[in-house]
Amino acid sequence: MGFARTCSVAPVGVEGVLVEVQADLEPGIAAFTLVGLPDKTLFESRDRVRAAVVNSGAEWPQKKLTVGLSPASVPKSGSGFDMAIATAVLGAAERIDPAAIADLVIVGELGLDGRARPVRGVLPAVLAAAEAGYRQVVVPEQCAGEAALVPDVSVLGVRSLRQLIAVLTGGEIPDEDPPHPPDRPDPMRAGLMVPGVAVGAGIGTGGRTGVPDLADVAGQRAARRALEVAAAGGHHVFLTGPPGAGKTMLAERLPGIMPVLTRQEALEVTAVHSVAGLLPPGDPLVHEVPYCAPHHSATMQSLVGGGSGLPRPGAVSLAHRGVLFLDEAPEFGTKALDALRQPLESGEVVVARAAGVVRLPARFLMVLASNPCPCGRHTVHGTGCECPPTAVRRYQARLSGPLLDRVDLRVEVEPVSRSDLLGRGGRGESSETVAARVAEARARAAARLEDTPWSLNGEIPGHELRTRWQPGAGALAQAERDLERGLLTARGLDRVLRVAWTVADLSGKDRPDAVDVAVALELRTGIARGATLVPGGP
């Protein structure tokens, strides 16, 4: 009788649960039993592991074999347990010293020929191992760079099971052919992506120079400044206007004026994209602000997360620490849009399924874009909108009041004039210039919020904002009158105050005054208050 154990990690959302892989050999008819709530993919690992061991030159034990995955109450899925199972089986058969693998965490899939194949979610797996106190992990060579992002963990990247056996037995490490030629895409990574999850999702791969420039937008002074306020304070935006006015252009350029991700934010974003299989090869750490623009036919599950078994990240999680752009917002399903209300408030999605409950990060900046009516010409003078009033009301009512109440900035994007389009009014500011002001405003907010769990004005709870950071004397008089008249809700008043703090940060003030609150009210309600939006704009 032989017994050996090693460790692997079960992916649960964008986190990992440490799993002990145990192998037990007993005399009897040769059989392979896998227990511990494996799914169909994991159940098929019995055949993959057996073929990989034999094709790696090792002898498969002809005894009764039982492999247990503990804790047995946690559902296990995916092919990332293959290498751990093969190692545990060889340890139980005394082909490998069981003591040499007891303190290892092994993650990776095996091909039938024994090659180590990359898997999704390596970064969350190594983070879970590090939190559990493990300091040595083994992963496929293609995933070694991703695993090395976790500090104080020794990472061994292998190309095959043969190499892993040689390392554990102290033998000569065999040479293996590279997984793919350097000038060709890696075919092993082709199947990592969750089907359909990358539609509309994008992460920067070319640095700041690869992001569209805000200077390309003709005119749209008010909308450009609203984007600056949104980027500086983390405020959601609703752009409404006729087709061709530049709503999509503005949204695409918002990531370019937001600061690059901090180290902690980069790790959070990388973990989400690792689970989704979207990490770019060669540079696994995501530095650029994510941008996700799903089609309006997207389902509720594709937006907030879901799927069979344990839920997978949706568009709101792929846009974590970045921008979620919903073009033609009224065309989205009502249930899908209303499902965004929870993550807009909490910054996370809690998805409950029969297989378990998963928390997915979802702190994003949302941009909604909409036409004023089905034909798009309702508010444009002289263009002859023929939509009946009932059709206009029905179209605009597709965006519910509770959803719009969570949107801080509402901007009407006017048609571009001939002089602006031909450049006679001068070219607008570049993204680099606006991004510098945004960075300064964020630095002021971060200094003020240094001893708090928040870093942006858009994240501060209303009660804390009203009690700990008071605006100037009499600054809220106009907002309080709007609250009494029903133009603002209690949540709306809190959001006006958040925007006012952001406007004050952009202006270099210590606290917002009546002018800053007037600017915030104008951005919130669309009613002109006679205030200048942001100093220094074009």
Side-chain angles (χ1 to χ4, degrees), residues 201-534:
I203 50 180
T205 57
R208 298 269 101 177
T209 57
V211 180
D213 198 332
L214 192 61
D216 300 335
V217 180
Q220 306 302 352
R221 179 185 178 92
R224 289 165 57 95
R225 292 187 172 185
L227 288 190
E228 184 174 340
V229 174
H235 306 290
H236 309 299
V237 189
F238 178 33
L239 303 174
T240 178
K247 301 185 293 295
T248 302
M249 286 185 67
L250 288 163
E252 290 175 344
R253 282 147 181 82
L254 181 55
I257 64 176
M258 297 173 64
V260 296
L261 303 176
T262 64
R263 173 74 179 185
Q264 179 59 37
E265 292 172 344
L267 287 175
E268 294 175 8
V269 174
T270 301
V272 175
H273 285 75
S274 173
V275 172
L278 296 177
L279 291 183
D283 186 15
L285 185 63
V286 178
H287 300 279
E288 300 298 319
V289 174
Y291 176 81
C292 188
H295 191 261
H296 58 74
S297 61
T299 63
M300 182 173 65
Q301 289 76 15
S302 67
L303 279 180
V304 301
S308 60
L310 289 174
R312 293 171 176 170
V316 296
S317 295
L318 294 176
H320 180 60
R321 301 296 182 183
V323 177
L324 176 68
F325 177 46
L326 302 183
D327 198 7
E328 306 293 344
E331 302 296 339
F332 282 79
T334 303
K335 291 184 178 180
L337 289 175
D338 286 339
L340 300 176
R341 287 152 57 179
Q342 180 205 9
L344 286 176
E345 290 286 344
S346 63
E348 65 178 8
V349 176
V350 181
V351 184
R353 296 290 186 269
V357 179
V358 172
R359 293 181 180 272
L360 303 171
R363 189 165 296 283
F364 55 91
L365 198 162
M366 182 179 69
V367 180
L368 300 174
S370 170
N371 295 326
C373 67
C375 76
R377 300 187 297 270
H378 176 61
T379 58
V380 183
H381 301 292
T383 52
C385 173
E386 298 180 355
C387 298
T390 54
V392 175
R393 288 195 299 269
R394 189 182 307 113
Y395 183 79
Q396 295 177 349
R398 293 178 182 176
L399 299 177
S400 67
L403 175 64
L404 291 180
D405 199 35
R406 290 166 168 82
V407 179
D408 303 339
L409 313 176
R410 304 176 189 179
V411 183
E412 185 171 343
V413 182
E414 298 288 346
V416 182
S417 65
R418 181 175 60 181
S419 61
D420 286 333
L421 188 61
L422 298 178
R424 295 172 183 170
R427 197 164 185 255
E429 289 182 313
S430 66
S431 295
E432 183 179 0
T433 302
V434 178
R437 289 201 300 268
V438 170
E440 292 177 2
R442 285 203 177 195
R444 293 189 187 99
R448 183 172 62 250
L449 304 173
E450 183 177 5
D451 297 328
T452 70
W454 314 291
S455 58
L456 296 176
N457 294 321
E459 300 174 356
I460 309 174
H463 173 74
E464 296 287 339
L465 198 61
R466 293 191 303 270
T467 56
R468 295 181 60 177
W469 295 282
Q470 294 289 336
L476 290 178
Q478 194 172 9
E480 291 171 356
R481 287 196 297 269
D482 284 359
L483 178 65
E484 293 176 353
R485 295 164 56 193
L487 296 178
L488 285 178
T489 63
R491 179 191 289 116
L493 180 61
D494 289 339
R495 292 187 175 273
V496 166
L497 188 53
R498 292 174 183 171
V499 175
W501 272 103
T502 301
V503 174
D505 288 333
L506 285 167
S507 304
K509 300 177 183 178
D510 293 333
R511 62 179 58 198
D513 54 21
V515 175
D516 300 322
V517 175
V519 171
L521 282 170
E522 183 172 337
L523 290 171
R524 173 78 182 182
T525 63
I527 301 174
R529 311 282 173 156
T532 303
L533 289 181
V534 181

